[in-house]
Each structure stands twice: as structure tokens, then as C-alpha cells.
Amino acid sequence: MEAESKGNVDKVDADMAYWNIDGNLNDSVVEANKGNGQWWLFNAYGQFTGNTVQVNAPHPNIQYTLQGVAALDRAKRQARVLLGGAGGSADVVFMHVDPELFGTTVHARLVEIPWTGQVGVSAQPLRLADHELPVSEGEVTLRLSELDGMSAYQVILSPGGNGAAALPPSVGWRRSYQAEDAAYIGDGHSLNGPEGSPSDVDKFAGSTGYHVGGLRTGSDGVLVFSVEVPQDGTYDVRVFANSCNLADAVREQGPTNVFLRVDGDDPQELRLPLGYKWAVWGHTDTRVELTAGAHDHPRRRGPRPRRHARRRGDRPARPRPARRPGDRTRAVRRGVRGPGRRRARRLRAARRLGSRGRRTAPGRHRHLLGARGGRRGGDRDRGPDRPREGELTVNGEGAGSVGGEGVRTVDGGGVGIVERSGGPLFLAAGINKVTVTATSDSLVLDRLQVGPSRGLLPASTYPAEDGTTTGGARVTGAHTFATGGKAVDGIGGGPANALTLTVTAERAGRHALTIRYSNGEQAPATHYNPDPVCRHADIAVNGGAPQRVLFPTTFHFNNFHDLAVPVTLEEGTNTLTFTADELPDHDGHSRNQYGQRSAYAPVIDTVTVTRLA
């Protein structure tokens, strides 16, 4: 936020610094097609139109204090301000509010762009409040409280007083619990830090600068968070954590798995995120049912739960305040530092809006978190809140209300007409660009609403090991977190080493291939930054010309992500052929001498075929 503000004050062109791995907009892009909080901050800034206006910060030119940038678009009758850099309370005062543009009452929407970690996926910004505010002597004052110093905020000002219904907040009750404040039982405990802070900017940022380690292979450590929730319901638990992908204990298995128990109930297995260095935070999300009152959430290693093998790995977990998409508790925790350790930072709780249950007096709960060995086989690494590809219902509210018509595209591909009643669309996990184009002058569109799947787009999943391999491509059981413990490796290095799958489409047209893959290739760094390599696959449908698809790093070959690829299929049987080879340099024959371009496709686990609409 400070960099954006400084560039606007001085009216200079500015670039983002490149500090860590390449190809992800300086730690703004997470996995494929997904952004973190920083991405959404730049996205909000990119939506500014009109002209920038002067912003008077409370402490101008002082780093790590509240700063902002603002713009006024007279044609849209809209003003926007982005602010952040400090916690606590603040008044945002809009001056010289033009009554010809805004009237005597304005509508102010406040949204929060939360920090989700360097490699942590973020959903869209959270709507905190809609206000109708009076214009008094050309000024509008919006009072803000409980600002999070790790978040950015946006206020959107538009004409009010028209009787529009205010939308409810998209986030409800939430709390953060720091790992360093939790009770630790067992051996191996370590308190690590301080990490990055406003006074020590050459380290990675975190919520308090400290995190807890000890949940690692061979330890019996249990981390106990005492959590108190206001009412019965379903709560989100978000665990902020980290393991360095090149640490010895992490190299063996990849994602570190821990087990979460609530009040002694059966454990849930969680796989914590990988990063390219220690203290590079991501998050793992799950849901728990809690009754009003106090609970303990232990993360533990402890006796082996049934159906699970030993815990393996080493990761830091670090908690940050949990946000909720609704009304549920989230636990966030961040982690331990150093090889063979897990870091825990904080447990974050939030209750989902709309969850049922009676209101009773607040209570306390115990959340236990511990680590155990890796489970062989299975597909459980994706928590229920992790963004995933699949069917959603999209409807245009107000569409055609006066006889107008329009068509929709998703990421540039046509998917049919706008329907007021709603229709199914396949959306990729992460960022999707949905465009509505009017085909008549009378189209009226208030908003697009995205809702749950209704099961109208059938999906079929094809294990890669059921396909045909040629040359060096082979089925392997080396990747234990692949579905069923098997995947296909060795695709690439030339077209002779290929995988071919036979899939079926109910009707001809555009379909999505959701490819579950892993890519742990990393070139030896020629500088202080790590060099993960983006692999690719050349995918040919029914023997046609192949399209090259890039597969970003997953930080380990036993850590699987999803990537959606749109293709055109014929009705009935179709073949999908995966090959790869390194392209030459610009001279047409030499190859990259530093290993920064791969000749191989990623490890392929499964391919799921779904109609786009």
C-alpha cells in the first residue's frame, strides 16, 4: 500500500520489485490462476478510473503508517480510496464532495483485502459494511475501527439516498489465535523469530514475527489452542503454516501432515503448505462443528489414529486472524523454523453466516494440533474451502428486465446467453473473467450472482495410470499423495515419451480438462533467489495440433495441484495425448544452460472432463 501511495504522490511510473521466485508477479500469484491478498490489492488499484486526487495521510512520508491513494471518476459518479499500513482506528474524510455528482447522501461500501501469506490463496475482498452517509458542508466522514495492520481496505463512494437496500457483510464473527500463545505438550518445542517487521524488512512478513516449531517427524508434540465461540454452528479453521520444500525432512514426502482434534474427537488429517523458504506462509483450511462455548483444538503427533500412517515432514505453522466466508470459525496457525520442523503461528476462527444454531453464552473449546507420518495413497489434500474447479450457478440479476438480451463469455470463450433464472457454468479455481455483452440496447443488468453447483454439468475423472504410455513415460507408485498412490511420470524429452488417455463426451463442444499434477523441478539458483521451473505439456486432442499448457511449480513432486484447460471435444470417444520437449533458444538450436526450461511435462495424476456450460 505504501509503494502505491508513494508512486501516486510523486506522480512517477513505478515497477514492482522482483525479490523471490520469477513468474509470479513478485509473490502475488499463487499456484495457477490464483491470487493472494497482494494480487487483490493490485487488482483493486487497477480498477481505478478517472483522475487521482490528493490524499493527506496522518503521517506523510513515514514508513509503515496509514497511507492511501484515491481517485474520482466524474463520468461514473464514483470515488475510490485504498488505504492500509497500520492497525487500530481511523477516520476517512472525503472533502470537496460535489453535490452535483453525489447529492446530499452518499453510499459508502467498505471492503477488506486480507493478507493471506506469500503462497496463500485469497478469495475476493471481504465486504465489511454498506453505509448511507450524509454530506455535511462538502465532507463525508467514515469512521473505521479494528483495522488490521496486515490488511488493505477500499472505500467506494457513490450517490446514495435512493432507497437501495444495504447488502449484509460477507464476513461474520472471527478470531485469530497465535501459536506462540497456545499450550505445547511434548518434546521438540521451539519458539522462532523474530521474522519480518516494519523495523526489519529484509525478512518475510508475519502476524507478530514469531512462530512455533516442534510438530515434526519423530516428535510427540501437541499444540493446544483454547477457542471460544459465540454459538453452535459450522466454523472455518484456517491454519497458517510453512515447510521449506528443500529441507531434508520435507524432501522425503513433501507436504507435512498434522492431525486436528476438537475436544478429543476423531482427528482430521491436514496437509500443510510448502514454500520456497522458511517463513514463507500459506494456509490450509478445514471446517469443524462447534457448540457454543470453549473448545480445545489440538494439533498433534500422538498415538497413531486408525486409518492413518505415521506423520512425516517438517513444517512451520503460523496463525493469522481467521476470516470467514460466512459465519464459521477458522483456525490459522503458522509454523516452525528450520529443517525437520513445523511452524505454527496462529489459529484463526470465524463462523459462517447462515449456519444454524441457537445463540447461547460464549464458551471455550480445545483445538489440538499435532503431526504424524504421511498417509499412503488417497486424495485428501484439498480442504473443503480450498478453491476448486467445477460447476457453479451464474445468473444475471436484472437481466432482460426490460426485454434486453446479452451473451456471456468466460476468459474469452463464449458460454451462452445471460439468464435471469441462472444457468450452470464451469469456472476454474481462482480468477475468472466473466464478460456480459449486450446484444440489444435494452439490456439492464444489476449484478452477476454466483451460487453453488446444481449437478447439471456431469464430470468424469480418468486416472492417468489407465492411459497408454510410450517410451520413457511410465506409471509409478513413488508419489504417495497421488489418487490411489499412482501417477504417470517421464512424459517429455521428445514426442516418443507420451501419455494418451481416451475420454468420452456426451455431446460435442467446449469442455474443461481439470488436470491434477505435480511439478517439483527446481534449477540450481545462480543468485540468492530460488529457481522453481515451470514445466509444460503439449496436449493434442484427437491427433490435432497440440496446445502448449504451462504448469507452475507445486514445490514438490508429491504435492498435487489442479489446472483447468479448455478444449473442444467431439461427441463420443476422444483421445488426449500429452507430450513435451524443450524449445530451443532464439538461435533455433541451443538450449538453456542453467536448466531453467524443462523438457518434461509434470507428473499427471488424473484428468477430469466437464462441459463448460
Side-chain angles (χ1 to χ4, degrees):
M1 189 66 253
E2 179 184 331
E4 291 182 4
S5 173
K6 184 66 175 172
N8 275 274
V9 168
D10 296 339
K11 293 295 183 268
V12 298
D13 293 331
D15 294 327
M16 281 192 299
Y18 160 41
W19 292 113
N20 299 308
I21 63 177
D22 60 353
N24 71 347
L25 296 179
N26 192 38
D27 287 345
S28 298
V29 177
V30 181
E31 298 182 25
N33 198 48
K34 300 173 186 176
N36 58 15
Q38 180 172 276
W39 187 94
W40 285 102
L41 172 62
F42 286 115
N43 176 262
Y45 182 55
Q47 292 176 359
F48 275 25
T49 55
N51 299 100
T52 56
V53 297
Q54 181 178 344
V55 174
N56 299 317
H59 304 286
N61 299 317
I62 298 179
Q63 290 184 317
Y64 306 106
T65 60
L66 189 65
Q67 304 291 332
V69 59
L72 170 65
D73 190 324
R74 302 184 70 86
K76 287 184 176 179
R77 302 172 68 193
Q78 184 184 83
R80 292 174 180 249
V81 59
L82 279 169
L83 62 134
S89 301
D91 287 349
V92 179
V93 182
F94 293 86
M95 305 177 66
H96 310 296
V97 178
D98 188 344
E100 292 188 4
L101 292 180
F102 293 97
T104 59
T105 301
V106 299
H107 183 87
R109 170 163 293 178
L110 174 65
V111 299
E112 180 181 0
I113 305 171
W115 183 85
T116 55
Q118 293 85 351
V119 294
V121 177
S122 176
Q124 65 268 23
L126 303 168
R127 183 178 61 252
L128 298 185
D130 276 351
H131 297 285
E132 294 280 306
L133 301 174
V135 180
S136 177
E137 298 182 350
E139 293 187 358
V140 173
T141 300
L142 176 62
R143 299 186 181 278
L144 305 180
S145 60
E146 298 183 353
L147 295 175
D148 186 340
M150 298 292 287
S151 293
Y153 297 84
Q154 181 172 209
V155 181
I156 303 173
L157 216 63
S158 56
N162 299 314
L167 294 176
S170 61
V171 62
W173 181 91
R174 50 182 173 169
R175 291 290 183 273
S176 294
Y177 301 85
Q178 300 294 332
E180 57 266 32
D181 297 332
Y184 189 96
I185 303 169
D187 60 22
H189 175 269
S190 62
L191 178 64
N192 305 293
E195 295 296 343
S197 67
S199 60
D200 195 359
V201 296
D202 63 340
K203 297 179 181 178
F204 291 105
S207 54
T208 65
Y210 291 89
H211 44 267
V212 171
L215 303 180
R216 59 180 180 268
T217 303
S219 76
D220 62 355
V222 178
L223 195 59
V224 182
F225 295 86
S226 293
V227 174
E228 187 168 339
V229 300
Q231 67 184 82
D232 297 1
T234 302
Y235 288 78
D236 287 337
V237 175
R238 169 163 289 181
V239 180
F240 280 83
N242 161 272
S243 289
C244 178
N245 66 324
L246 297 182
D248 290 341
V250 177
R251 285 178 186 266
E252 178 186 359
Q253 173 180 275
T256 303
N257 55 325
V258 298
F259 293 88
L260 173 68
R261 290 182 174 89
V262 178
D263 298 335
D265 291 343
D266 290 340
Q268 290 188 48
E269 182 184 13
L270 304 179
R271 295 180 191 165
L272 302 182
L274 296 175
Y276 50 83
K277 290 183 180 179
W278 290 114
V280 172
W281 304 112
H283 57 80
T284 294
D285 302 342
T286 189
R287 288 179 182 172
V288 295
E289 296 291 329
L290 298 177
T291 56
H295 297 263
D296 281 348
H297 292 245
R299 279 179 148 192
R300 66 181 305 150
R301 247 197 50 83
R304 182 182 312 179
R306 287 179 298 175
R307 299 177 291 108
H308 294 290
R310 302 189 293 276
R311 173 186 80 128
R312 309 177 73 84
D314 180 9
R315 103 181 286 173
R318 169 180 215 170
R320 181 176 161 71
R323 301 187 179 280
R324 52 168 174 137
D327 202 31
R328 43 185 169 171
T329 7
R330 293 189 183 179
V332 180
R333 176 187 114 139
R334 299 185 183 226
V336 178
R337 208 175 168 179
R341 300 181 184 175
R342 283 181 182 250
R343 306 183 181 186
R345 172 63 184 224
R346 66 181 168 186
L347 182 72
R348 181 170 167 185
R351 185 177 171 287
R352 233 175 14 157
L353 289 175
S355 64
R356 298 179 179 177
R358 63 186 186 279
R359 284 198 174 272
T360 60
R364 304 178 62 103
H365 299 260
R366 289 171 54 94
H367 286 57
L368 294 148
L369 188 59
R372 294 187 62 86
R375 177 176 167 284
R376 300 283 172 182
D379 179 9
R380 302 184 45 183
D381 64 328
R382 292 167 287 186
D385 287 336
R386 176 175 174 184
R388 297 180 62 178
E389 282 81 6
E391 175 193 330
L392 292 170
T393 300
V394 179
N395 68 287
E397 201 165 283
S401 60
V402 291
E405 295 179 349
V407 295
R408 298 172 300 186
T409 64
V410 176
D411 298 328
V415 290
I417 65 172
V418 181
E419 299 176 88
R420 190 171 187 179
S421 60
L425 287 182
F426 178 95
L427 297 181
I431 312 300
N432 294 266
K433 184 177 182 179
V434 180
T435 303
V436 176
T437 303
T439 55
S440 73
D441 293 336
S442 56
L443 175 68
V444 175
L445 182 66
D446 180 21
R447 56 187 168 178
L448 289 179
Q449 288 192 319
V450 180
S453 164
R454 293 181 292 171
L456 300 179
L457 298 179
S460 299
T461 298
Y462 301 86
E465 64 264 28
D466 291 348
T468 301
T469 57
T470 59
R474 64 196 182 280
V475 176
T476 173
H479 309 291
T480 58
F481 288 156
T483 306
K486 292 183 179 180
V488 173
D489 195 0
I491 304 167
N497 309 307
L499 165 68
T500 299
L501 285 168
T502 300
V503 303
T504 301
E506 290 186 354
R507 65 187 189 202
R510 298 290 283 172
H511 290 70
L513 307 179
T514 301
I515 303 169
R516 189 167 189 259
Y517 77 96
S518 69
N519 172 21
E521 185 171 355
Q522 187 160 325
T526 57
H527 40 71
Y528 60 85
N529 291 323
D531 264 337
V533 174
C534 184
R535 287 191 169 190
H536 71 275
D538 297 320
I539 304 175
V541 179
N542 296 325
Q547 63 169 313
R548 176 154 291 199
V549 178
L550 300 180
F551 292 82
T553 182
T554 64
F555 297 116
H556 196 282
F557 281 112
N558 203 26
N559 190 36
F560 288 85
H561 291 174
D562 290 334
L563 178 66
V565 179
V567 297
T568 300
L569 299 180
E570 300 296 332
E571 182 179 357
T573 300
N574 296 261
T575 60
L576 309 174
T577 301
F578 295 79
T579 59
D581 204 357
E582 181 185 353
L583 292 178
D585 292 328
H586 294 299
D587 60 13
H589 56 82
S590 62
R591 296 291 193 268
N592 183 277
Q593 60 179 317
Y594 301 110
Q596 294 166 322
R597 289 201 306 267
S598 180
Y600 291 92
V603 174
I604 305 295
D605 179 15
T606 61
V607 176
T608 300
V609 179
T610 313
R611 283 204 327 265
L612 289 185

